[in-house]
Amino acid sequence: MSIAQWSTNSDWNPVLTQTEEQRDETAALEAVRARYRAERDKRLRPEGRSQYAYVNEGKFTDYGADPWLPERDEREPFHDEVDLTIVGAGFGGLIAGAFARKAGIDKIRYVDTAGDFGGTWYWNRYPGLTCDVESYIYLPMLEEIGGMPSRKFAPGEEIRQHALKIARKFDLGRDTLFKTEVSSLVWDDEQERWTVQTSRGDAFHSRYVLVSSGPFQRPKLPRIPGIHTYQGHAFHTSRWDYEYTGGDAAGGLRGLEGKRVAVVGTGATGIQVIPKVAEYAKELFVVQRTPPTVDVRGDGPTDETWWNSLEPGWQRARRDNFVEIVHGQGAEENLVGGSWTDIAPARGMRRLIESEFKADPATTFELADYEKMDELRQRVADLVEHPETARKLQPWYRQMCKRPGFSDEYLQTFNRENVTLVDTQGQGIDAFTPEGFVVDGAEYPVDVIIFATGYELNFDAANRAGVDVRGRNGVSLSDRWSDGMHTLHGWIARGFPNLLQMGLLQNAYSVNYTHILEDQAAHIMTVVAEAEGRGDVLLEPTEQAEDAWVGVIRGQDLSSGAAFEAECTPSYTNEEGQPRPKEFYTGGPVEFAAILARWLKDGGVEDVLAPKRNR
């Protein structure tokens, strides 16, 4: 279907200078926008993010517990001193520890509620789990750590083992406090150290603290009437219950044979889980609020000949090329290929380049988006045999309103006789009952409910780690940032010396998150190494340097991004339809890395080396 065929607005008044084709396209875009808005409006709820909750009462008391190491080793509290405390043992913390070790930091202590390294790859071990960005650019420090990924999209256990390899290579496991939660970080002005207190009675000092807790917090559930009354079995995908289902991450879920199963949620996790569950369940009900986009995945084993031909520096070049294309900045060649590099922003930039930048950018990108989304809707129609089911699985929103999905199995799953799509028309489940759940007045009795409903998403960086952080003069980080973040380059803040932060702060963003983390860690530890070499300084930005960077962030024109998010269907990416201003650097990861490189070259490090008060 061409975009012009969507022209239904008979009251449209054309601009005289437009060609007939342009007038058709403009009218058609208005019709598509109206359809997108109607789909968005059905899903908007006044409670926004509060329609979900971390449930930890009644039936779900142990909902967030650790299924992989349920027992906690007893130990005495620590009251010693370390050089660096890293809060969070996922990829961000691991990469930071690796670069810290290179910078000469000796005593590094990790604190994490998990039982081992890995972060999201520790918790998530559900069947079908893989990375959705190719493993060659997703796996951090791959050239240095070594090992050839088995596939273009490596399975979850392989990724977890890569995390453990980083820990072993840099000897990061010798002083860890796992199954432990940091409760407070308090700066001691006299000792010029951080006092770290934990849930297990630890109270130790640390010269530096690095927080890498990530934006995704505890597993969440929909806040739906009757959820505590359900009498069947239930668990979250991030705490998969193999004792109930049998099998492992590769499949073999024979515990589901003869069972009526519901999977609630059709996001990135649901796309991977649902085909595996469908192989074994007697009946599978897929509960959908908003259909995902599902493009070609194109997975396959790694070509060993190609792998052995790679020259040093290949991962950096491949990563940079990927983000330039995916973020709509364009590139002379496409090193990665695949569906990610054909998403709507990439197509829009290609069209703009072909026009020699004479076309209107906003219209060009929107037309490219329509073209891409119409192809994805047609893919549903081509792969799903039942026309009504196919219609309900077709996504009606702009592609980047949600994280793009990729699968060569998900849509075909709905051709199985044992699989039923329960489309909630954007409303979600009405209620739970002791036997199952209700949608549009119909009850669906089930034996087990698997929640693929994601995590608490915390864009509030001051409270992201769930830690009370207090800097100079006892000022809390949440108070200091009550009117928005104040940092230099997103990793350090005035009033909080030697407190280092990683994640989605006032820095760049990428769909390949480990790219951002590795860049951040390398930069932070370069500056730490300089401070260690001086020996008599703390890391704290000057007021002028911090204000200048905050000015850059706040001075960006975010109007187009805000308007885009406001038009999107609700999801975690726009805080369930109630978006707040983001404080990312909008120029992209490659441009941001260049800014940091210039800053270092021009002696910017002097702006963060503060003399110790108590020498």
Side-chain angles (χ1 to χ4, degrees):
M1 179 189 304
S2 72
I3 182 71
Q5 288 176 278
W6 271 96
S7 183
T8 60
N9 187 349
S10 59
D11 296 326
W12 176 68
N13 185 19
V15 178
L16 294 178
T17 56
Q18 287 184 312
T19 66
E20 182 177 350
E21 180 182 5
Q22 288 171 329
R23 290 196 295 270
D24 287 344
E25 288 180 341
T26 302
L29 283 177
E30 283 299 323
V32 174
R33 291 170 191 153
R35 174 67 187 271
Y36 287 177
R37 288 188 192 115
E39 294 295 329
R40 175 204 63 189
D41 291 348
K42 285 196 301 187
R43 293 165 171 81
L44 285 175
R45 293 187 178 182
E47 62 268 39
R49 285 195 302 163
S50 63
Q51 68 189 275
Y52 294 99
Y54 174 70
V55 180
N56 191 26
E57 57 183 317
K59 180 180 179 63
F60 299 99
T61 299
D62 297 322
Y63 188 70
D66 187 343
W68 316 120
L69 287 172
E71 298 299 324
R72 188 178 79 174
D73 292 336
E74 295 304 318
R75 61 172 177 79
E76 293 297 317
F78 281 79
H79 301 287
D80 56 352
E81 181 168 326
V82 298
D83 297 318
L84 168 64
T85 298
I86 297 180
V87 183
F91 271 139
L94 278 165
I95 302 166
F99 281 101
R101 198 64 94 203
K102 291 181 180 183
I105 303 298
D106 178 42
K107 194 165 186 181
I108 301 173
R109 171 167 292 159
Y110 285 87
V111 186
D112 198 298
T113 56
D116 204 344
F117 292 103
T120 190
W121 302 102
Y122 174 86
W123 294 110
N124 285 275
R125 306 190 196 185
Y126 58 78
L129 174 64
T130 68
C131 52
D132 67 354
V133 172
E134 70 160 31
S135 54
Y136 317 128
I137 61 173
Y138 178 79
L139 294 176
M141 307 183 78
L142 186 54
E143 283 192 74
E144 186 168 354
I145 298 302
M148 182 184 76
S150 64
R151 307 185 65 80
K152 184 177 179 68
F153 299 100
E157 180 58 20
E158 186 174 322
I159 298 171
R160 190 175 75 86
Q161 290 301 322
H162 183 78
L164 297 177
K165 285 171 68 175
I166 296 175
R168 287 194 295 271
K169 181 176 179 65
F170 294 98
D171 191 23
L172 300 177
R174 69 184 190 218
D175 196 25
T176 58
L177 299 181
F178 287 126
K179 301 187 84 65
T180 303
E181 185 173 13
V182 174
S183 54
S184 69
L185 299 169
V186 179
W187 177 253
D188 187 322
D189 278 311
E190 291 299 317
Q191 297 193 48
E192 295 187 318
R193 297 284 190 275
W194 285 96
T195 300
V196 183
Q197 294 188 309
T198 79
S199 59
R200 300 182 66 175
D202 305 297
F204 57 89
H205 290 104
S206 185
R207 291 197 295 122
Y208 300 95
V209 170
L210 184 140
V211 178
S212 181
S213 54
F216 296 98
Q217 299 296 299
R218 302 170 298 182
K220 70 182 182 185
L221 294 177
R223 200 188 294 268
I224 295 173
I227 191 169
H228 293 291
T229 69
Y230 174 63
Q231 297 300 307
H233 198 70
F235 58 88
H236 192 275
T237 50
S238 68
R239 306 292 192 274
W240 194 272
D241 188 351
Y242 283 110
E243 287 190 11
Y244 183 88
T245 67
D248 55 28
L253 312 179
R254 300 202 175 279
L256 297 180
E257 292 177 345
K259 299 290 198 307
R260 296 164 300 173
V261 182
V263 174
V264 181
T266 56
T269 296
I271 288 173
Q272 295 185 346
V273 162
I274 286 164
K276 296 297 184 184
V277 173
E279 292 181 31
Y280 297 93
K282 175 184 177 182
E283 291 183 84
L284 171 60
F285 299 97
V286 177
V287 184
Q288 169 185 277
R289 185 177 72 162
T290 303
T293 60
V294 187
D295 208 342
V296 175
R297 180 171 173 78
D299 192 16
T302 300
D303 182 337
E304 191 169 351
T305 301
W306 166 78
W307 180 261
N308 291 331
S309 72
L310 295 171
E311 299 289 339
W314 67 266
Q315 190 180 40
R316 163 58 64 183
R318 196 172 178 90
R319 277 180 166 175
D320 287 352
N321 179 260
F322 175 80
V323 298
E324 286 173 338
I325 294 172
V326 169
H327 288 261
Q329 296 170 306
E332 292 184 3
E333 61 177 330
N334 186 342
L335 298 177
V336 176
S339 295
W340 262 115
T341 60
D342 191 39
I343 62 175
R347 283 197 181 188
M349 178 52 70
R350 288 200 298 269
R351 286 188 173 196
L352 206 57
I353 292 171
E354 289 167 1
S355 76
E356 297 181 338
F357 294 92
K358 294 176 182 177
D360 174 64
T363 302
T364 300
F365 276 83
E366 191 170 5
L367 286 169
D369 187 278
Y370 172 81
E371 177 186 78
K372 181 64 182 181
M373 289 299 292
D374 205 45
E375 288 178 9
L376 294 176
R377 289 187 284 266
Q378 186 59 49
R379 184 169 189 252
V380 176
D382 292 342
L383 294 177
V384 178
E385 296 168 359
H386 192 282
E388 182 63 14
T389 301
R391 183 187 66 79
K392 293 175 180 178
L393 286 167
Q394 290 178 321
W396 287 93
Y397 46 82
R398 291 185 66 171
Q399 188 178 21
M400 298 311 291
C401 284
K402 298 183 181 296
R403 187 175 179 90
F406 309 91
S407 176
D408 296 327
E409 300 176 298
Y410 177 74
L411 294 172
Q412 297 90 322
T413 298
F414 293 93
N415 296 329
R416 300 178 65 108
E417 292 184 0
N418 66 325
V419 176
T420 300
L421 175 66
V422 182
D423 181 49
T424 67
Q425 290 292 305
Q427 302 303 301
I429 292 172
D430 298 334
F432 286 94
T433 69
E435 290 76 32
F437 62 94
V438 177
V439 171
D440 195 23
E443 183 175 9
Y444 295 83
V446 291
D447 299 302
V448 57
I449 297 175
I450 301 171
F451 290 101
T453 45
Y455 300 86
E456 285 184 339
L457 181 64
N458 194 343
F459 283 118
D460 182 358
N463 298 305
R464 181 174 295 162
V467 178
D468 179 22
V469 181
R470 296 186 177 273
R472 292 194 187 278
N473 303 312
V475 175
S476 72
L477 187 61
S478 56
D479 286 344
R480 175 72 172 85
W481 287 359
S482 61
D483 61 343
M485 281 183 267
H486 296 266
T487 76
L488 174 60
H489 297 148
W491 66 275
I492 195 164
R494 184 164 177 77
F496 299 86
N498 285 12
L499 178 67
L500 319 171
Q501 299 211 53
M502 291 177 61
L504 301 178
L505 302 169
Q506 291 179 325
N507 44 44
Y509 166 78
S510 172
V511 297
N512 184 19
Y513 193 40
T514 56
H515 179 164
I516 300 298
L517 294 174
E518 193 163 333
D519 280 359
Q520 287 179 356
H523 177 74
I524 291 170
M525 292 307 163
T526 296
V527 181
V528 168
E530 181 68 23
E532 290 292 285
R534 302 276 184 103
D536 61 348
V537 295
L538 301 172
L539 291 179
E540 184 178 9
T542 65
E543 184 176 4
Q544 293 82 0
E546 185 180 80
D547 286 350
W549 184 247
V550 172
V552 169
I553 295 297
R554 306 271 166 84
Q556 298 176 118
D557 182 4
L558 303 177
S559 57
S560 60
F564 177 86
E565 285 198 346
E567 291 291 321
C568 282
T569 53
S571 73
Y572 77 84
T573 62
N574 68 350
E575 301 197 67
E576 299 300 334
Q578 297 180 353
R580 292 183 292 175
K582 303 297 192 300
E583 297 205 61
F584 306 147
Y585 178 72
T586 60
V590 176
E591 186 174 309
F592 182 71
I595 289 173
L596 297 185
R598 286 196 301 271
W599 181 83
L600 286 171
K601 182 179 179 182
D602 295 342
V605 70
E606 298 297 332
D607 291 335
V608 298
L609 298 180
K612 289 184 177 180
R613 297 178 180 180
N614 304 311
R615 301 194 195 191

